[in-house]
Amino acid sequence: MTQLRTVQVLGGGSAGSSAHVRSLAAGLVARGVRVTVCAPAELDHDYDFLGAGAHFVPVPRRSDPLSVGALRAACVGADVVHAHGVHAAVRAAMALASQHVPLVVTWHSRPHAEGARRQLLRLMERKAVRAAAVVLGTSSELVDRARRRGARDARLGPVTSPAPRQVDDLGDHGKARAELGAVDRPLVMSVGPLEPYRGHDTLLDAARSWLGHDPVPLVAVVGEGRQRGALQRRIETEELPVRLLGHREDAGSLLAAADVAVLASRWEARAPLAQEALRLGVPLVATAVGGVPELVGEAAELVPYGDAVALASAVSRLLADPGRRAALAEAGRRQARTWPTEDETIAQVLSVYDELCER
């Protein structure tokens, strides 16, 4: 029997999609599949696709003839090409224009665009899903969106982030809290890029209302992005109890030490922060947007997007109620056990590949 060969295509590569491709590559290689990953060079440094047993071809996140040509060459001889995200799917469709190779697209999230770019994004979404033999949406909302854009075959393909290292040592928690200056005060954590759609301005509005608490909670935010300068100026001008920590390799340890985690985004599918908080038993307050309610079930406090009063009140109630925090921690761990494992995710993807090859 001929060995199956697949090409995995990443564009800019969000943390969730890049981690998924790394997990997928390792799992497919272990099952005897030859895997090539095409992605910007820096992603292999961060996610070590070569270490997963895949062949790696650096391809910039551009649609110029040189980049598309490099992607086209990498796809020659492939049985299935699998693109992750809208931009990667459009470039993969261009590369496969003269090749009879089935394209699978995993839609991990909904890209954000304003003004004239929104119409361009809609056109890109239509081109991406119509070129695909199968579209896998990581949430029911994304599956519905793909169908509205014209997908021939759109299915739910939930992706679970690789399980984080469990941090059970209370000494680790104490060390993390001491470093942040939260030994004798509550610690509220958020993790994610400092971009407008992540709702950090709303989180800062909520933090201003916590100045009246005794002791005042410390809000710690892990992540980098174009909003960092504006957020830091607000923090200094308004004297808010917020620390921007930048990129941290120990984000999981910091999150495990928190009293409450906050996800204030405008939209999410299967947010890595929500997954990690529930697995670690950290009570979560999140916006009821996108795939978040489907992901967390009853295991988190949900609030409307952009509502700083509701966000502040939900966090305040949790900080004042240790019993509710303990109940949410247990509910979170139970909910996490209902998510597909990495093995189940890989098995679903492989079954799609086999189905397309049989056609």
Side-chain angles (χ1 to χ4, degrees), residues 126-358:
R126 292 178 62 184
K127 182 172 183 177
V129 301
R130 292 182 179 189
V134 175
V135 178
L136 297 173
T138 58
S139 70
S140 298
E141 186 186 56
L142 287 176
V143 173
D144 292 340
R145 187 181 180 90
R147 288 171 179 159
R148 290 197 302 272
R149 295 291 186 262
R152 291 171 285 168
D153 185 344
R155 312 176 189 180
L156 183 63
V159 171
T160 301
S161 299
R165 179 181 69 87
Q166 290 292 329
V167 186
D168 295 321
D169 185 352
L170 292 178
D172 286 347
H173 293 188
K175 180 179 178 182
R177 294 179 72 101
E179 178 199 340
L180 297 176
V183 174
D184 298 317
R185 60 195 296 198
L187 176 61
V188 178
M189 283 287 306
S190 185
V191 181
L194 305 183
E195 300 294 336
Y197 75 93
R198 292 303 296 254
H200 292 301
D201 276 318
T202 303
L203 178 57
L204 264 57
D205 290 341
R208 186 169 55 233
S209 74
W210 298 327
L211 287 170
H213 286 213
D214 184 18
V216 176
L218 173 66
V219 181
V221 182
V222 173
E224 286 288 0
R226 54 183 169 154
Q227 260 202 316
R228 175 159 188 154
L231 293 173
Q232 187 62 51
R233 285 191 292 274
R234 269 200 68 185
I235 292 166
E236 294 171 359
T237 300
E238 301 175 32
E239 298 183 342
L240 300 177
V242 181
R243 287 189 59 186
L244 303 182
L245 304 179
H247 174 74
R248 295 284 296 247
E249 294 292 340
D250 60 345
S253 296
L254 298 178
L255 180 61
D259 297 292
V260 176
V262 171
L263 177 70
S265 299
R266 180 193 314 161
W267 194 92
E268 295 280 355
R270 295 179 68 83
L273 169 59
Q275 293 188 47
E276 192 158 359
L278 266 60
R279 279 172 166 156
L280 291 170
V282 178
L284 174 68
V285 176
T287 43
V289 297
V292 173
E294 181 180 23
L295 176 69
V296 304
E298 301 295 321
E301 296 281 356
L302 297 179
V303 298
Y305 167 72
D307 190 333
V309 173
L311 175 61
S313 297
V315 172
S316 295
R317 287 195 302 271
L318 282 178
L319 293 179
D321 189 346
R324 175 59 177 161
R325 294 204 306 274
L328 276 183
E330 179 56 34
R333 294 189 180 99
R334 284 199 307 271
Q335 180 71 8
R337 289 194 288 270
T338 70
W339 300 333
T341 63
E342 288 184 80
D343 281 345
E344 289 168 343
T345 300
I346 293 161
Q348 182 194 19
V349 171
L350 190 54
S351 71
V352 172
Y353 294 172
D354 289 340
E355 176 188 332
L356 293 176
C357 290
E358 287 172 2

Side-chain angles (χ1 to χ4, degrees), residues 14-37:
S14 67
S17 60
S18 298
H20 171 59
V21 170
R22 210 289 181 182
S23 169
L24 189 58
L28 291 172
V29 168
R31 289 161 175 77
V33 179
R34 287 190 298 152
V35 178
T36 297
V37 176

